[in-house]
């Protein structure tokens, strides 16, 4: 087992909130990537699959349920937390 940082994708259209969460996760050894909104999250999932996705439910462009669907289309076992 390795101690490499685990990747987490954080999607929120209120980026300042996502950055606060990212700072806390970084302190716990995670490697966060913050994106602005659901469409950006889906685009990010196409680039690299994280170990965890955290997404806001209500976003202006694409909502958290759409992010959940996209994540599970790539990997049905990918953990997704919807806030």
């Amino acid at each position: 087992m390795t101690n490499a940082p685990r990747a987490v994708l954080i999607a929120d259209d209120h980026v300042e909130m996502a950055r606060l969460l990212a700072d806390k996760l970084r302190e716990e050894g995670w490697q966060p990537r913050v994106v602005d909104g659901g469409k950006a999250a889906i685009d990010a999932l196409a680039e690299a699959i994280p170990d965890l996705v955290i997404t806001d439910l209500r976003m202006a462009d694409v909502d958290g349920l759409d992010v959940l669907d996209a994540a599970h289309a790539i990997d049905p076992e990918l953990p997704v937390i919807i806030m």
Side-chain angles (χ1 to χ4, degrees):
M1 186 170 184
T2 180
N3 289 336
R6 296 185 62 180
V8 57
L9 176 64
I10 305 170
D12 197 329
D13 53 355
H14 298 286
V15 176
E16 58 281 348
M17 295 298 293
R19 287 191 180 131
L20 287 172
L21 179 57
D23 289 344
K24 291 296 180 185
L25 289 169
R26 192 173 293 108
E27 290 172 8
E28 297 298 322
W30 287 86
Q31 183 178 2
R33 177 177 179 186
V34 174
V35 295
D36 183 13
K39 182 178 179 329
I42 292 170
D43 292 344
L45 286 167
E47 295 172 16
I49 301 170
D51 297 298
L52 171 66
V53 176
I54 301 175
T55 181
D56 189 15
L57 175 59
R58 294 185 183 143
M59 295 181 280
D61 58 351
V62 175
D63 72 19
L65 295 176
D66 294 324
V67 174
L68 172 69
D69 289 343
H72 284 173
I74 294 168
D75 180 354
E77 295 186 20
L78 179 61
V80 178
I81 297 172
I82 299 176
M83 303 181 287

